[in-house]
């Protein structure tokens, strides 16, 4: 794997202990970055699920693995003003609308006889568009904000991104009709947090001047949303390196609740950093 020589990042959410899959992701990002170009970002917008103890364990496990990064570390919980500014810019472009639908409302709308089979996109059920006619002046404190995908694409023009990773390497040009049908009007500001993963990740990758985003292949499909937001927000366009996922012996991808594969558990059992590298084939 030739190093990219740029600025890369590892962006964990402190909602559980780091496991082998995270170690793999962090080590790949560090390999791809230039010296001093590996950055850490704590993705803690979901304050209901994030815990200070998990954040402390992230720093400790990564240092133990031999990684080093510039400080202070960017933490998304400090970045609400930047996310609000991005939302305002999108609202100014006329591509946002407020949405009051609950998951139950969406499921009920999808089961109406005129709707075809529900489509599951990178963000879950593709939204049926119930609130699309509402304007931002009607937005209330309990509303989420959604991206009007059709309008956004008509403003943005062609959407593409460059993938450097081995799984899907090449230039990916996205088809608008496909994005409307299979991604749809994603939520950019959740009612409980005022932002979303998609919005924050795009704003922060730009703020940290990331030149190559390294992360798991489970986020490959979401990259179309990120490339579109980069165009609308006039942000620089990083390239991407999506890596394969570490799976257990049954082929299931590791989850944070799988404590047996937590780095901390391997450390407690006497494993060395070299053992961890060997376990993930690095
Ligand atoms: N925070 C995300 C996670 O822990 C990673 C997001 C990204 O790398 O874009 O899964």
């Amino acid at each position: 794997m030739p190093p990219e020589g740029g600025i890369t990042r590892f962006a964990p959410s402190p909602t559980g202990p780091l496991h082998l899959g995270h170690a793999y992701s962090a080590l790949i990002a560090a390999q791809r970055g230039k010296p001093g170009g590996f950055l850490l970002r704590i993705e803690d917008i979901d304050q209901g699920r994030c815990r200070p103890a998990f954040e402390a364990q992230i720093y400790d496990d990564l240092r133990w693995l031999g990684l080093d990064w510039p400080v202070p570390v960017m933490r998304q919980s400090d970045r609400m003003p930047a996310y609000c500014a991005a939302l305002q810019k999108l609202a100014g472009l006329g591509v946002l609308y407020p949405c009051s639908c609950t998951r139950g409302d969406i499921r009920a709308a999808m089961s109406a006889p005129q709707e075809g089979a529900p489509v599951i996109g990178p963000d879950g059920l593709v939204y049926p568009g119930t609130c699309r006619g509402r304007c931002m002046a009607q937005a209330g404190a309990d509303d989420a904000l959604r991206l009007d995908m059709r309008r956004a694409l008509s403003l943005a023009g062609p959407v593409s991104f460059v993938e450097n990773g081995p799984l899907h390497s090449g230039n990916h040009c996205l088809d608008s009709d496909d994005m409307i049908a299979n991604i749809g009007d994603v939520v950019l500001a959740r009612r409980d947090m005022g932002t979303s993963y998609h919005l924050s990740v795009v704003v922060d990758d730009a703020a940290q001047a990331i030149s190559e985003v390294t992360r798991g292949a489970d986020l490959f499909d979401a990259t179309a949303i990120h490339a579109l937001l980069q165009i609308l927000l006039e942000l620089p366009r990083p390239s991407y390196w999506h890596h394969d996922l570490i799976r257990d012996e049954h082929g299931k991808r590791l989850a944070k609740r799988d404590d047996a594969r937590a780095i901390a558990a391997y450390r407690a059992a006497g494993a060395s950093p070299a053992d961890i590298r060997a376990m993930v084939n690095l």
Side-chain angles (χ1 to χ4, degrees), residues 9 11-13 43 197 201 215 219:
R9 63 16 171 225
S13 303
E43 299 213 322
Y197 161 64
V201 82
R215 61 185 179 197
L219 289 166

Side-chain angles (χ1 to χ4, degrees), residues 60-136:
D60 196 54
D61 284 342
L62 294 179
R63 284 215 182 84
W64 176 81
L65 278 171
L67 298 176
D68 195 21
W69 53 88
V71 288
V73 167
M74 181 179 279
R75 298 169 78 240
Q76 290 191 324
S77 52
D78 297 331
R79 306 251 316 135
M80 278 313 292
Y83 309 142
C84 287
L87 287 169
Q88 261 167 22
K89 176 157 181 152
L90 294 172
L93 293 174
V95 296
L96 291 187
Y97 63 87
C99 174
S100 56
C101 293
T102 61
R103 282 209 186 93
D105 295 335
I106 296 173
R107 270 195 299 271
M110 302 297 295
S111 60
Q114 71 275 16
E115 297 288 339
V119 179
I120 311 281
D123 230 23
L125 270 183
V126 172
Y127 182 61
T130 320
C131 288
R132 198 178 291 130
R134 294 178 64 200
C135 66
M136 285 298 285

Side-chain angles (χ1 to χ4, degrees), residues 48-61:
R49 290 175 59 226
C50 293
R51 300 280 174 272
F54 291 134
E55 185 176 333
Q57 184 79 50
I58 288 172
Y59 301 133
D60 196 54
D61 284 342

Side-chain angles (χ1 to χ4, degrees), residues 8-14 16-31 38-43 53-71 73-74 214 256 262-264 267 272-274 276-277 280 282:
T8 61
R9 63 16 171 225
F10 175 56
S13 303
L18 292 190
H19 56 58
L20 281 183
H22 295 106
Y24 183 55
S25 200
L27 290 166
I28 287 183
Q31 264 181 22
F38 166 71
L39 306 187
L40 181 62
R41 178 168 75 232
I42 300 293
E43 299 213 322
F54 291 134
E55 185 176 333
Q57 184 79 50
I58 288 172
Y59 301 133
D60 196 54
D61 284 342
L62 294 179
R63 284 215 182 84
W64 176 81
L65 278 171
L67 298 176
D68 195 21
W69 53 88
V71 288
V73 167
M74 181 179 279
T214 52
K256 285 208 174 114
I263 307 298
R267 288 175 66 177
S272 70
I276 301 285
R277 283 173 190 266
V280 296
L282 283 175

Side-chain angles (χ1 to χ4, degrees), residues 197-261:
Y197 161 64
H198 299 303
L199 184 81
S200 301
V201 82
V202 161
V203 170
D204 291 346
D205 282 334
Q208 290 189 297
I210 302 300
S211 60
E212 184 181 80
V213 171
T214 52
R215 61 185 179 197
D218 51 330
L219 289 166
F220 180 80
D221 288 342
T223 309
I225 305 168
H226 304 170
L228 170 61
L229 291 176
Q230 285 152 6
I231 297 173
L232 294 171
L233 293 168
E234 298 175 286
L235 298 174
R237 318 278 302 279
S239 55
Y240 289 83
W241 179 292
H242 289 92
H243 58 74
D244 50 341
L245 301 175
I246 302 286
R247 297 181 184 275
D248 68 14
E249 55 282 8
H250 309 293
K252 244 182 95 212
R253 60 181 267 235
L254 301 183
K256 285 208 174 114
R257 56 191 171 277
D258 187 0
D259 284 354
R261 289 182 179 75

Side-chain angles (χ1 to χ4, degrees), residues 143-158:
D143 285 325
L145 300 180
R146 285 187 183 271
L147 182 71
D148 182 328
M149 184 58 83
R150 187 179 294 277
R151 290 189 72 146
L153 287 165
S154 71
L155 266 185

